[in-house]
């Protein structure tokens, strides 16, 4: 956080060319650059054509017909007075024609390089349609799985989300074959929407904004992102589309951002609905004052700004500054110099599919594997039964935001498993959809399960149950899925559960009935082949949770990096704390921080995930006992794969600052490494920690304080191997 290099994203040449062009524009043409309209899906109306030619439209979203896009660009570049190209925006969120795992699933890979390759693949496909700007990545930290948009982000942790956000920006913007301008969203604090209800109010003190919610945005800007979108939510009484502190003081002054801000869909006139502006005109003025360059879809700038400037209600230089930023980005992207779409070659297309499958495989988190029920032995003489509402759903496995993904490209678990197991597999959906409440099929399922040697249950949530405005209060498996599980479990046949969902689900009531549990998020087009590879052990699972899985919705928000409180629950004070019986009440022998009706721990903690290998950590060493400014600390650890197969482990380093001027989280992720390790071998891992990695915002400034820092290394946020060093400030 100390010392950002955001400014370098824009070249001096782009800025000076933008400055020269700006001087030639009329007020109407300037305002045109601040207007984004919704496309007409496959046509160009007379009004749109005229708008582009007259220079009163600077950007179009949601047009993906390549010929139409090309024609719109031709009108803009060849028939408008200054030939200014259009920004063509689209929500390319996790793949384009080929669906990749939802972002939350991608975060579970803890593999920024692969995530970058995924964004590059999506950029390649999307740029074929003439799209040059995506409203992605969403780097909102979220600690509430009720919120439907948790699917679109990278989880609860600022460091993991920062690494993922940077990877996405690099992938979209730096691809050698294709480039999409990326857009960080939704600035800021949207993921904290009260009660996990979308668009809801948030009150987030600056200390929390700076330490938790801002870092992924700053990281994305440092990776070169040149556009940013405000959140719909109210932030401390000032919705971000009218929040000058956020958009000017933080973004531009403190961080040096030189790109532009696009409003969210009609978020400018919503300032009136929020209750901070009287009407649309006042909303437009407030957004300009706050520094919102581009108005998405609402026309409120087009309707009002000219008259406001002409009647001296708004200064033209405010408009000039905002337009300059948009033009500079258009130059920086090379839009003035390039024409026409690129085509994807067959080998590139193959790579797009491969990346989607790799992402899906690496996103899957093995949460339970009792008696090593997994991997399956496909050569055994046993009979397998596949049951469940998510087993054969080409659309539902894709998850949210898949406008352009072609369902025909989806391979389901049923199809892929049938290919592998042939006659040894039977199938029954049990429930038609994830929300189906009917028990009618259970008898038939039970009969089949009785005859089987192993049941694979494909459970979860349909795509529509997560994403924007799709929030839930009850985050258990929906419909009659819990009853279906019980019906199958009664027969005693071993059960492997696969959960495809857009969020962490509460599985407390059924988890004991599973022998194996693989959390697959919404894996995308290649769900089937990816799942089969993991189930059969062709791919050793390596995913780790990017978000805590709660035992009960009443624990929410529950996350690993919480404060200690003045009365933390301990095994000494809470009877039953060690004995994790979810259904038993807890009893306290003192007043401590816990719920009476559920264990104080989560079902699965952040960073957790099993493998078919076993990883053992040992020999933790520090290169120095004390650390001073400008020095770095090397933390080494011996990681051993004691298991029977080769595997990949995500080694995680956490710190705790036990005494500081303000309370600090009980754990903070600082570094992680994905390491491939052969069976029965070990490797010495080295994590390098810089002074700045230890800084935090104390309410007024970023600083590193003297004192002890505890350091833990291991395979989850519950890592026990630890030691401490001393920070010395002078
Ligand atoms: C969402 C944005 C999205 C925009 C354009 C809004 O409703 O909040 O994330 O980019 O629509 O589709």
């Amino acid at each position: 956080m100390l010392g950002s290099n955001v400014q370098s994203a824009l070249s001096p040449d782009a800025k000076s060319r933008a400055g020269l062009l700006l001087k030639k524009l009329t007020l109407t043409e300037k305002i045109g650059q601040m207007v984004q309209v919704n496309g007409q899906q496959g046509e160009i109306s007379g009004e749109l054509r005229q708008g582009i030619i007259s220079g009163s439209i600077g950007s179009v979203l949601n047009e993906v017909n390549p010929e139409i896009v090309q024609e719109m660009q031709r009108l803009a570049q060849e028939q408008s007075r200054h030939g200014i190209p259009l920004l063509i925006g689209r929500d390319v969120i996790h793949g384009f024609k080929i669906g990749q795992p939802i972002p939350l699933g991608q975060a579970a890979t803890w593999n920024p390089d692969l995530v970058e390759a995924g964004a590059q693949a999506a950029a390649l496909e999307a740029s074929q349609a003439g799209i040059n700007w995506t409203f992605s990545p969403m780097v909102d930290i979220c600690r509430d799985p009720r919120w439907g948009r948790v699917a679109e982000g990278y989880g609860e942790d600022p460091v993991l989300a920062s690494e993922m956000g940077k990877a996405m920006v690099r992938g979209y913007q730096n691809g050698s074959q294709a480039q999409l301008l990326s857009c960080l969203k939704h600035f800021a604090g949207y993921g904290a929407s009260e009660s996990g209800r979308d668009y809801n109010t948030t009150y987030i003190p600056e200390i929390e904004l700076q330490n938790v919610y801002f870092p992924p945005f700053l990281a994305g800007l440092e990776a070169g992102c040149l556009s940013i979108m405000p959140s719909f939510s109210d932030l401390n009484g000032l919705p971000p589309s009218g929040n000058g502190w956020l958009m000017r003081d933080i973004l531009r002054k403190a961080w040096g951002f030189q790109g532009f801000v696009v409003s969210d869909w009609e978020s400018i006139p919503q300032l009136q609905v929020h209750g901070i502006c009287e009407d649309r005109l006042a909303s437009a003025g407030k957004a300009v004052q706050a520094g919102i360059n581009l108005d998405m879809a609402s026309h409120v700038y087009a309707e009002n700004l000219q008259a406001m400037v002409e009647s001296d209600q708004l200064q033209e230089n405010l408009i000039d500054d905002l337009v300059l930023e948009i033009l500079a980005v258009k130059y920086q992207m090379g839009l003035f110099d390039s024409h026409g779409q690129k085509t994807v070659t067959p080998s590139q297309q193959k790579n797009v599919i491969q990346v989607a499958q790799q992402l899906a495989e690496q996103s899957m988190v093995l949460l339970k594997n009792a008696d090593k029920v997994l991997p399956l032995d496909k050569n055994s003489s046993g009979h397998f039964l596949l049951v469940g509402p998510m087993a054969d759903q080409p659309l539902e496995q894709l998850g949210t935001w898949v406008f352009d993904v072609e369902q025909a490209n989806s391979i389901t678990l049923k199809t892929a498993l049938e290919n592998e197991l042939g006659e040894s597999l039977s199938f029954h959906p049990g429930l038609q959809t994830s929300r189906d409440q009917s028990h009618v099929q259970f008898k038939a399922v039970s009969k089949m399960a009785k005859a089987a040697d192993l049941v694979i249950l494909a459970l979860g949530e349909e795509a529509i149950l997560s994403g924007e405005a799709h929030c839930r209060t009850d985050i258990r498996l929906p419909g009659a899925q819990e009853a279906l599980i019980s019906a199958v479990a009664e027969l005693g046949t071993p059960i492997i559960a696969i959960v495809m969902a857009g969020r962490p689900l509460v599985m407390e009531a059924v988890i004991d009935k599973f022998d194996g549990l693989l959390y697959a998020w919404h894996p995308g087009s290649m769900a089937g082949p990816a799942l089969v590879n993991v189930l059969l052990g062709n791919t050793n699972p390596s995913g780790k949770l990017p978000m805590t899985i709660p035992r009960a919705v009443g624990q929410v928000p529950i996350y690993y990096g919480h404060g200690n409180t003045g009365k933390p629950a301990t095994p000494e004070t809470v009877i039953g704390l060690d004995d994790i019986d979810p259904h038993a009440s807890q009893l306290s022998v003192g007043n401590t921080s816990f719920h009476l009706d559920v264990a104080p721990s989560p079902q699965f903690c952040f960073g957790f995930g099993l493998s078919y290998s076993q990883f053992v950590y040992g020999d933790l060493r520090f290169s120095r006992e004390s650390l001073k400014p400008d020095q770095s600390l090397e933390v080494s650890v011996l990681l051993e794969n004691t298991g029977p197969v080769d595997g990949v482990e995500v080694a995680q380093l956490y710190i705790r600052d036990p005494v500081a001027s303000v309370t600090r989280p009980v754990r903070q992720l600082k570094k992680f490494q994905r390491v491939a390790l052969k069976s029965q071998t070990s490797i010495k891992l080295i994590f390098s920690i810089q002074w700045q990695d230890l800084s935090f915002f104390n309410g007024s400034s970023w600083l590193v304080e003297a004192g002890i820092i505890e350091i833990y290394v291991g395979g989850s946020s519950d890592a026990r191997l630890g030691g401490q060093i001393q920070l010395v400030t002078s």
Side-chain angles (χ1 to χ4, degrees):
M1 279 313 262
L2 307 170
S4 82
N5 57 4
V6 170
Q7 292 176 14
S8 58
L10 206 61
S11 71
D13 181 55
K15 277 187 260 182
S16 73
R17 287 173 81 187
L20 291 175
L21 177 57
L22 182 73
K23 290 204 183 95
K24 300 183 195 156
L25 304 190
T26 62
L27 178 59
T28 315
E29 286 165 339
K30 289 179 198 168
I31 294 168
Q33 288 303 305
M34 301 170 75
V35 174
Q36 182 185 54
V37 300
N38 199 27
Q40 291 153 346
Q41 276 97 52
E43 59 168 328
I44 307 179
S45 67
E47 197 187 345
L48 179 58
R49 179 176 294 270
Q50 194 42 40
I52 296 173
I53 295 174
S54 66
S56 48
I57 292 172
S59 173
V60 176
L61 81 158
N62 295 335
E63 180 54 77
V64 292
N65 178 319
E67 284 83 43
I68 298 291
V69 173
Q70 202 158 12
E71 173 60 5
M72 291 194 306
Q73 287 293 24
R74 194 191 63 77
L75 294 173
Q77 292 186 262
E78 292 173 17
Q79 294 202 10
S80 75
R81 221 162 64 94
H82 303 287
I84 306 175
L86 297 166
L87 283 163
I88 306 289
R90 181 67 160 174
D91 292 280
V92 181
I93 309 291
H94 49 113
F96 189 64
K97 300 260 187 241
I98 300 291
Q100 298 168 7
I102 53 170
L104 190 58
Q106 298 202 23
T109 67
W110 296 58
N111 188 344
D113 291 343
L114 185 60
V115 168
E116 179 176 340
Q120 206 167 320
L124 184 70
E125 283 194 304
S127 63
Q128 224 188 347
I131 294 162
N132 53 29
W133 182 22
T134 173
F135 307 118
S136 168
M138 184 188 106
V139 290
D140 296 314
I141 296 298
C142 180
R143 293 162 168 192
D144 189 335
R146 294 172 299 181
W147 193 50
R149 302 199 81 166
V150 70
E152 299 174 47
Y154 301 96
E156 73 183 47
D157 180 72
V159 168
L160 181 60
S162 295
E163 291 307 317
M164 292 296 145
K166 284 195 288 189
M168 294 296 288
V169 169
R170 285 195 303 265
Y172 287 136
Q173 296 196 171
N174 299 340
S176 51
Q177 302 295 331
Q179 271 203 336
L180 294 189
L181 174 66
S182 59
C183 179
L184 293 161
K185 66 189 190 185
H186 305 85
F187 196 50
Y190 188 27
S193 294
E194 280 181 4
S195 76
R197 177 159 57 81
D198 210 358
Y199 316 129
N200 206 359
T201 304
T202 67
Y203 280 93
I204 313 176
E206 189 182 351
I207 196 166
E208 188 79 349
L209 283 172
Q210 294 273 7
N211 285 315
V212 176
Y213 292 92
F214 286 171
F217 286 93
L218 185 55
L221 297 180
E222 288 183 345
C225 182
L226 284 167
S227 76
I228 194 162
M229 187 188 289
S231 66
F232 280 129
S233 48
D234 173 2
L235 176 65
N236 302 333
L238 272 189
S241 295
N243 191 327
W245 173 75
L246 203 56
M247 298 301 169
R248 290 196 183 276
D249 297 350
I250 297 292
L251 189 59
R252 289 169 166 105
K253 289 192 196 126
W255 296 352
F257 177 61
Q258 298 189 341
F260 68 86
V261 184
V262 57
S263 81
D264 203 344
W265 186 276
E266 299 183 341
S267 68
I268 299 176
Q270 284 164 19
L271 294 175
Q272 182 190 355
V273 188
H274 274 290
I276 60 162
C277 292
E278 254 178 8
D279 50 22
R280 285 171 68 86
L281 179 134
S283 303
K286 183 109 188 155
V288 167
Q289 301 280 358
I292 311 297
N293 308 68
L294 189 55
D295 167 26
M296 182 190 282
S298 85
H299 302 278
V300 74
Y301 277 181
E303 288 160 18
N304 296 293
L305 296 189
Q306 177 113 12
M308 289 177 86
V309 172
E310 286 168 357
S311 60
D312 289 334
Q313 291 177 74
L314 205 60
Q315 291 168 325
E316 188 165 350
N317 64 1
L318 277 177
I319 304 279
D320 285 352
D321 291 347
L322 296 179
V323 174
L324 186 73
E325 288 169 339
I326 298 174
L327 292 175
V329 173
K330 288 187 176 182
Y331 276 113
Q332 179 70 34
M333 290 169 68
L335 294 186
F336 285 84
D337 314 314
S338 71
H339 291 272
Q341 282 98 357
K342 295 118 192 158
T343 46
V344 179
T345 64
S347 86
Q348 285 172 330
Q349 187 59 32
K350 203 169 149 207
N351 182 52
V352 170
I353 296 171
Q354 268 169 4
V355 168
Q357 181 164 336
Q358 279 171 1
L359 278 164
E361 289 178 10
Q362 294 188 17
S363 72
M364 292 172 187
V365 188
L366 182 65
L367 293 175
K368 196 173 173 188
N369 196 13
D371 300 327
K372 302 213 171 33
V373 63
L374 284 170
L376 302 177
D377 178 4
K378 73 168 183 175
N379 299 318
S380 78
S381 54
H383 194 82
F384 300 92
L385 172 65
L386 175 64
V387 179
M390 294 297 286
D392 196 23
Q393 301 276 0
L395 178 67
E396 310 308 342
Q397 71 187 32
L398 298 175
T400 186
W401 283 118
V402 286
F403 291 148
D404 303 293
V405 177
E406 287 169 359
Q407 223 192 110
N409 292 325
S410 281
I411 306 176
T412 67
L413 174 59
K414 174 174 173 277
T415 305
L417 216 47
E418 274 169 356
N419 281 347
E420 282 294 335
L421 301 178
E423 300 278 281
S424 346
L425 183 78
S426 312
F427 169 68
H428 196 300
L431 296 163
Q432 293 313 313
T433 68
S434 73
R435 278 178 291 171
D436 186 354
Q437 296 283 2
S438 161
H439 293 209
V440 209
Q441 307 291 342
F442 289 10
K443 249 199 186 135
V445 170
S446 296
K447 209 170 149 200
M448 290 171 81
K450 212 170 183 178
D453 297 294
L454 187 121
V455 180
I456 301 168
L457 286 178
L459 308 164
E461 291 179 314
E462 296 151 73
I464 196 74
L465 293 183
S466 57
E468 184 174 351
H470 289 86
C471 307
R472 300 176 62 204
T473 58
D474 180 351
I475 52 170
R476 287 175 302 168
L477 286 160
Q481 293 185 77
E482 289 194 351
L484 174 67
I485 296 163
S486 300
V488 174
E490 266 175 24
L491 307 166
T493 315
I495 297 178
I496 290 165
I498 292 163
V499 176
M500 294 185 227
R503 55 164 65 76
L505 291 174
V506 165
M507 298 170 290
E508 181 85 14
V510 287
I511 201 144
D512 291 345
K513 303 185 198 297
F514 303 144
D515 298 277
L517 171 59
L518 185 65
Y519 216 85
W521 318 100
H522 285 133
S525 307
M526 302 307 287
L531 279 164
V532 163
N533 272 345
V534 173
L535 291 174
L536 295 182
N538 304 333
T539 298
N540 193 344
S542 57
K544 300 273 187 175
L545 292 176
M547 241 183 125
T548 305
I549 297 194
R551 292 176 185 279
V553 72
Q555 291 181 304
V556 170
I558 179 168
Y559 51 96
Y560 84 92
H562 57 82
N564 200 30
T565 80
K567 292 170 179 283
T570 63
E572 292 75 48
T573 55
V574 182
I575 298 172
L577 191 60
D578 273 345
D579 165 24
I580 308 215
D581 177 355
H583 310 296
S585 297
Q586 313 293 323
L587 273 183
S588 173
V589 291
N591 291 344
T592 57
S593 186
F594 75 108
H595 293 110
L596 281 173
D597 52 356
V598 69
S601 54
Q603 189 86 62
F604 296 105
C605 69
F606 174 85
F608 176 77
L610 299 168
S611 157
Y612 300 149
S613 311
Q614 267 89 50
F615 294 103
V616 179
Y617 290 81
D619 198 21
L620 180 70
R621 288 169 197 246
F622 303 134
S623 62
R624 50 177 87 244
E625 284 168 7
S626 64
L627 188 70
K628 293 190 187 144
D630 301 326
Q631 289 183 333
S632 70
L633 169 75
E634 312 276 68
V635 177
S636 71
V637 71
L638 195 71
L639 176 66
E640 202 179 343
N641 178 355
T642 59
V645 287
D646 303 349
V648 174
E649 168 71 333
V650 179
Q652 303 156 44
L653 183 147
Y654 295 85
I655 67 151
R656 179 175 186 188
D657 185 348
V659 182
S661 55
V662 290
T663 59
R664 304 295 301 130
V666 294
R667 286 271 163 109
Q668 280 181 277
L669 178 72
K670 285 294 167 189
K671 304 278 167 186
F672 61 88
Q673 291 182 35
R674 266 180 71 88
V675 196
L677 204 51
K678 297 225 166 293
S679 166
Q680 307 301 324
T681 62
S682 60
I683 188 172
K684 183 175 166 186
L685 301 180
I686 298 179
F687 295 93
S688 180
I689 298 192
Q690 311 303 315
W691 184 255
Q692 268 164 244
D693 293 330
L694 303 170
S695 68
F696 64 94
F697 186 78
N698 71 350
S700 49
S701 60
W702 279 85
L703 79 174
V704 179
E705 289 182 351
I708 281 172
I709 291 285
E710 296 169 10
I711 297 175
Y712 300 89
V713 180
S716 79
S717 57
D718 193 29
R720 299 292 162 95
L721 181 67
Q724 60 185 48
I725 59 146
Q726 188 83 29
L727 298 184
V728 182
T729 43
S730 55

